[in-house]
Each structure stands twice: as C-alpha cells, then as structure tokens.
Amino acid sequence: MQAVYGYWDPGVSEDLSLYSDLEELRRASGARLERAVAPWRDRYPRVPVRTSLVPSQPRSALMEAASGADLIVVGARGSADPHPLDTGITTMTLLRRAACPVAVVRADGADA
C-alpha cells in the first residue's frame, strides 16, 4: 500500500521555490502524513505501507499515483449527507479522470 500526500502552499504559485520556508512545509506535511498513517500501521502491522510526499497540488499528486494503482482511496469532506456538490475538486477530478477505480470514504465522526 502507498499513502500519497501532495503538499503545496496555496498562497503562492505552484513553483514551490517561492515558498519562504520550503523545508518547514515539507517537514510539517510529512508529520501530518505520518500521523494519518500511524493508526493504520498499528491496526494492520503485516500490511507494508510506503509513504510519499509529493511537492505539488494534491490532485496532481494523486492523479500521478492513480496512473499505476489498482485502486485509489480518498477521504470525503463536506456534509454528512453525500452529495456530488459537496465533493471537493480533488475528489471530483479523480472520479472523472483517474485511470483506476476510486473509493471515496467518510471518517464517520472522526477527523478526516
């Protein structure tokens, strides 16, 4: 299994060299990814998990990962009632264009 995290600062252009502290952005993003994956590593210790930090917009990073995947799983955001208009742009892009099946899951009351 591979967990992919696309990170960027939406306040600047997509050229991350313009970010004032790129290393801090990378460190904070890596820590967030590891926190998200840690409970699943603990729950399923026999499942090998690779994490990948990708310095680009999340939808670009996930589309790239989907090109070689059997399935891509993304977290849902929005209201408790699933409605297509509540789906974020990243999820909508994957649903429309990913080269593999896409599963959209909700956290059921937990932080996504």
Side-chain angles (χ1 to χ4, degrees):
M1 182 179 98
Q2 181 176 9
V4 177
Y5 188 90
Y7 67 97
W8 68 299
D9 181 349
V12 298
S13 76
E14 289 187 52
D15 178 4
L16 289 176
S17 65
L18 299 177
Y19 190 77
S20 62
D21 191 349
L22 184 57
E23 182 55 31
E24 176 58 23
L25 175 62
R26 189 198 62 73
R27 188 202 61 72
S29 298
R32 186 172 186 188
L33 173 60
E34 290 302 323
R35 280 193 309 274
V37 171
W40 300 105
R41 280 187 170 140
D42 292 344
R43 189 170 180 178
Y44 301 101
R46 290 199 242 167
V47 176
V49 178
R50 224 173 13 136
T51 57
S52 298
L53 279 173
V54 182
S56 67
Q57 290 183 342
R59 72 177 166 266
S60 298
L62 292 170
M63 282 296 294
E64 174 94 17
S67 68
D70 294 323
L71 172 70
I72 191 157
V73 180
V74 292
R77 65 179 199 180
S79 67
D81 274 335
H83 187 278
L85 296 178
D86 289 338
T87 304
I89 191 167
T90 298
T91 300
M92 287 303 292
T93 299
L94 288 164
L95 287 169
R96 291 181 178 156
R97 299 185 181 154
C100 66
V102 177
V104 182
V105 297
R106 293 200 176 275
D108 292 331
D111 289 339

